């Protein structure tokens, strides 16, 4: 009977990660706890002595003394973002009409990952006058699949951020962006002053 209950717990608690970063699956806090409970159930099924009750707390009451962790948990705020699409235009002369017209030469995206700025955007004011953005480009191959790459980073005004960054990327897209940011740190240039 007990084994049937444990097996039903395993079957009902399928957990899919939010995404992965550097090969490590990322879960919400709730899902990470479910993964840990599933690990305990598997140990119990294997015949090990497992305590499902409350874990012993640290004396300060701010955490557990011993906790097995089988998953990495990230807050959902980890994926908070806003973005805008930027079209680089070029003026050309139409061969037929001999008139000038603007055509889109290139497209890239500017992504903001500042949690506080994203949360304050709806109020029309953010805590700082400049916001850091990552410029992300995409190269499409012959099959239509896009390879993302980091073009650069820059700062924009708070007014531009509040008025123009209306889109929000899903978690899967943000995992890709975070990989780009992590794998392509900007080169730090240190200048020295001579007196």
């Amino acid at each position: 009977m007990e084994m049937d209950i444990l097996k039903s717990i395993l079957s009902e608690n399928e957990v899919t990660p939010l995404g992965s970063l550097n090969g490590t699956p990322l879960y919400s806090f709730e899902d990470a706890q479910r993964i840990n409970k599933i690990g305990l159930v598997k140990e119990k099924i294997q015949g090990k002595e497992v305590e499902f009750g409350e874990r012993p707390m640290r004396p300060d009451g701010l955490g557990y003394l011993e906790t097995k962790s089988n998953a990495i948990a990230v807050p959902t705020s980890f994926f908070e973002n806003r973005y805008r699409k930027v079209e680089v235009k070029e003026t050309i002369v139409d061969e037929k009409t001999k008139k000038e017209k603007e055509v889109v030469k290139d497209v890239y995206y500017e992504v903001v990952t500042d949690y506080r700025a994203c949360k304050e955007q709806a109020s029309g004011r953010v805590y700082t006058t400049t916001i850091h953005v990552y410029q992300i480009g995409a190269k499409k191959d012959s099959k239509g699949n896009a390879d993302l790459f980091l073009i650069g980073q820059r700062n924009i005004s708070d007014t531009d951020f509040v008025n123009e960054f209306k889109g929000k990327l899903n978690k899967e897209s943000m995992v890709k962006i975070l990989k780009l940011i992590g794998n392509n740190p900007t080169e730090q240039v240190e200048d020295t002053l001579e007196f």
Side-chain angles (χ1 to χ4, degrees), residues 70-186:
N70 300 318
I72 294 178
V74 293
T76 52
S77 62
F78 186 72
F79 298 101
E80 192 63 46
N81 69 85
R82 296 293 182 276
Y83 81 96
R84 73 175 170 186
K85 182 178 180 180
V86 178
E87 294 180 340
V88 179
K89 295 185 178 179
E90 170 178 69
T91 303
I92 62 167
V93 176
D94 189 342
E95 295 294 324
K96 295 179 183 177
T97 63
K98 302 296 183 199
K99 292 183 181 179
E100 288 185 351
K101 68 176 186 177
E102 279 192 341
V103 294
V104 177
K105 180 181 175 186
D106 197 13
V107 174
Y108 65 92
Y109 297 88
E110 291 185 329
V111 180
V112 173
T113 59
D114 184 327
Y115 175 78
R116 183 173 174 186
C118 291
K119 285 301 180 187
E120 292 178 357
Q121 183 189 31
S123 71
R125 295 180 67 199
V126 292
Y127 74 101
T128 182
T129 57
T130 58
I131 309 290
H132 189 81
V133 300
Y134 295 96
Q135 298 168 310
I136 308 294
K139 289 182 186 174
K140 288 191 177 178
D141 61 16
S142 58
K143 296 178 183 176
N145 299 324
D147 276 337
L148 299 178
F149 60 95
L150 181 65
I151 297 170
Q153 304 175 47
R154 71 185 192 101
N155 290 328
I156 58 164
S157 72
D158 56 340
T159 306
D160 284 349
F161 173 69
V162 168
N163 295 330
E164 297 179 21
F165 284 73
K166 300 298 182 187
K168 183 175 178 180
L169 297 169
N170 62 22
K171 290 175 186 153
E172 292 79 20
S173 296
M174 272 311 293
V175 167
K176 293 176 186 174
I177 299 298
L178 292 169
K179 281 182 183 178
L180 284 179
I181 294 168
N183 292 336
N184 295 291
T186 45

Side-chain angles (χ1 to χ4, degrees), residues 36 40 51 53-59 63-69:
N36 289 337
L40 291 173
E51 176 61 47
E54 220 23 69
R55 301 277 183 214
M57 297 289 286
R58 290 190 338 209
Y64 297 111
L65 281 173
E66 297 175 17
T67 304
K68 288 186 178 182
S69 178

